[in-house]
Amino acid sequence: MAANPQIALSGLARALIQQNRISEADAVACTTEPKDKTNGFVLEAAKRGLLSEQEIACFAAETFGYPLMDIAALDPATILSDAIDRKLVGKHHVLPIGKRGNRLTVALADPTNLRALDEIRFQSGLSVDAIVVEASKLETVIEKRAESTKDTLEALTGDEFDMDMLEQEAPGDTASADDAQAEVDDAPVVRFIQKVLIDAINEGASDIHFEPYEKYYRIRVRTDGTLREIAQPPLVLREKIAARIKVISRLDISEKRVPQDGRMKLVLSKNKAIDFRVSTLPTLHGEKIVMRILDPSSAMLGVDALGYDPDQKAALLEAVERPYGMILVTGPTGSGKTVSLYTCLNLLNKGDSNISTAEDPAEINLPGINQVNVNEKAGLNFATALRAFLRQDPDIIMVGEIRDYETAEISIKAAQTGHLVFSTLHTNDAPTTLERLRNMGVAAFNIASSVILITAQRLARRLCTCKQPLDIPHDALIEAGFSEADLDGSWQPYGPVGCERCKGSGYKGRVGIYQVMPISEEIQRIIMNNGNSMDIAAQAELEGVSDLRQSGLRKVKSGMTSLTEVLATTNE
């Protein structure tokens, strides 16, 4: 009996009719009755008692030559829901359950659904192998996976966040209706990202890392210089999280092959907003995103909050108040150089000075200061920006970093011609900074006549209030750098313990360790005589300049940090 041409029966239904396992009328009824057109035929046939789901699954596997599997016995952790788009999973009621090489294994109830297999093959770019499963069990697993993702997001986010808090750094084009609908659909992802950002800010984090891997996705924050995992959202969300961050950072969401850099802003209140510097990096399993938290209030803390010793603070303030000359800040990446520079600039930002900065990029937005982002591709490098500054009647200039001879030469000439110049170099300590400038090709006379002070710095973790006294052997203290006079019994070393406030680390916040070296006449004479960094360091010690280790040991004596932390931070 021929099938009704008006009804589009599936290949599975036609095979059942041909094998006299079901009548055409029943097949038509089971096809037209259910709202779900994908697995509806199988579910309706089982509901009507015509055949059980198990019988239909066994028939389909045997007739069309596909493996049969009980999906309920499958470990949920092995299900690759992220291998294909969620829309395809919902549209065709299929589930990717394994991947090997360029072959993707897909579970489905009707193996004759060739359209589903073709769309999966096109979307994933992989060869597709089908496995037959029972329809209701497949539906249960799909629902559990969707519910698990929803519950995870709701548990992580809650409903207390305002979706308008996230703003683009620059105004963009009007969103289309499709974009608006996508924003509504992704509201849980938006709230989740907001919660991550707000929690990181409240925790005092400096960076947030979104990291995709083959079998999981993790988010870590760097607090007090140490990375700590805070969440593992479902792997299926990695693309949506990356896309959302790229949208609000004004990045190209379609470009996933090359790194991108952008900025975004989180508005906390009418008077409080936090900027984020965003960097994306293509990895094997998706885009890794790092967000640098840029809090302008960190430049408003003042010199006292940075951790300078009284003599170091006095030397720094004396140099900052000079009308011209060069002040250099050195140290590795993440040692707080930018905050130190902006603290000094904030002291000078009084309305009667023209202050200009060239940075790569500008990290802290400070009103009253003319900030320029260098752009190597456009030909705007540090040297070009400096030349432009000198034509703008500057009083104070800040150069983000001296990287080459040209930048060093222009900076020094600016310092010699009545300008106060701030900049940074990547050197280990203050004496080697002068030698580094000379190795760049700067004449010894120009160095001696322009540089007025060099600050080398590190950041050590500050002990939490849960700290406890430690009994450190006398020999260990001497080996660390303490003198016999220091060990007079008037102070007690402390170590970390761990509590809820510091999340078990024993440390909360960081404190600066500094070597502040004014350029005296004797050090200028050593420079002019081509003395090396060892000669300069010896003279600085005679003049009472403490090196980084000595400054750190003073922090240990005061109970601010631990000896272990100082030894690790000032490892020489």
Side-chain angles (χ1 to χ4, degrees), residues 4 27 67 109 150 165 222 224 234 243 252 336 356 368 380 387 394 401 412 416 466 482 506 533 544:
N4 188 337
K150 179 181 177 182
M165 293 171 67
R222 187 181 296 278
D224 300 334
D252 184 356
S356 296
L380 179 60
R387 291 192 185 94
E401 183 183 350
I412 283 178
Q416 291 173 330
C466 63
F482 287 107
S533 59

Side-chain angles (χ1 to χ4, degrees), residues 238-282:
R238 61 183 173 186
E239 296 293 340
K240 286 188 174 294
I241 291 175
R244 173 60 186 169
I245 293 175
K246 289 167 75 173
V247 165
I248 58 180
S249 304
R250 310 303 299 163
L251 300 178
D252 184 356
I253 62 172
S254 64
E255 180 57 79
K256 302 177 182 179
R257 300 165 299 174
V258 297
Q260 297 186 68
D261 293 297
R263 292 177 75 96
M264 58 159 283
K265 180 179 293 184
L266 181 64
V267 180
L268 300 176
S269 67
K270 292 182 179 179
N271 303 317
K272 176 75 170 177
I274 303 294
D275 290 323
F276 293 81
R277 194 175 76 196
V278 181
S279 172
T280 71
L281 178 69

Side-chain angles (χ1 to χ4, degrees), residues 344-547:
C344 294
L345 291 179
N346 195 45
L347 293 173
L348 300 168
N349 187 19
K350 300 176 181 177
D352 57 353
S353 299
N354 179 15
I355 305 176
S356 296
T357 72
E359 302 166 77
D360 185 20
E363 294 188 357
I364 298 175
N365 182 17
L366 203 58
I369 294 179
N370 308 295
Q371 297 171 274
V372 175
N373 277 335
V374 301
N375 187 339
E376 297 283 352
K377 292 182 180 179
L380 179 60
N381 55 24
F382 284 118
T384 305
L386 272 171
R387 291 192 185 94
F389 289 166
L390 294 175
R391 292 191 292 270
Q392 297 253 323
D393 186 31
D395 298 300
I396 300 161
I397 296 172
M398 194 268 273
V399 185
E401 183 183 350
I402 294 179
R403 299 174 179 172
D404 50 43
Y405 169 76
E406 184 179 19
T407 306
E409 186 73 9
I410 299 172
S411 300
I412 283 178
K413 287 182 178 178
Q416 291 173 330
T417 54
H419 308 92
L420 186 61
V421 180
F422 295 86
S423 191
T424 70
L425 277 89
H426 286 281
T427 55
N428 290 329
D429 57 16
T432 57
T433 304
L434 297 170
E435 193 168 8
R436 172 73 185 279
L437 285 173
R438 198 167 56 199
N439 290 339
M440 282 185 179
V442 181
F445 170 80
N446 287 332
I447 298 173
S449 62
S450 59
V451 180
I452 58 176
L453 181 135
I454 301 174
T455 296
Q457 65 183 67
R458 303 288 189 275
L459 287 177
R461 291 182 294 172
R462 189 189 294 266
L463 283 168
C464 180
T465 52
C466 63
K467 64 184 179 181
Q468 67 178 7
L470 285 185
D471 185 14
I472 303 177
H474 181 274
D475 292 343
L477 293 172
I478 292 295
E479 186 179 352
F482 287 107
S483 65
E484 291 289 351
D486 291 328
L487 305 179
D488 57 4
S490 62
W491 58 277
Q492 172 69 56
Y494 286 86
V497 177
C499 65
E500 184 177 348
R501 180 174 179 267
C502 61
K503 292 182 169 51
S505 68
Y507 297 93
K508 184 67 175 176
R510 289 194 285 182
V511 62
I513 297 176
Y514 302 94
Q515 179 186 27
V516 179
M517 187 179 78
I519 306 302
S520 64
E521 292 184 2
E522 191 57 39
I523 292 178
Q524 288 179 333
R525 192 172 292 111
I526 294 173
I527 297 170
M528 294 290 293
N529 293 331
N530 293 320
N532 58 32
S533 59
M534 297 178 63
D535 298 328
I536 297 171
Q539 179 59 35
E541 185 177 1
L542 289 176
E543 296 176 4
V545 175
S546 300
D547 62 21

Side-chain angles (χ1 to χ4, degrees), residues 1-7 9 14 17 24 27-28:
M1 180 178 179
N4 188 337
Q6 301 299 320
I7 302 299
L9 295 177
R14 292 179 182 278
I17 294 171
E24 180 182 358
V28 171

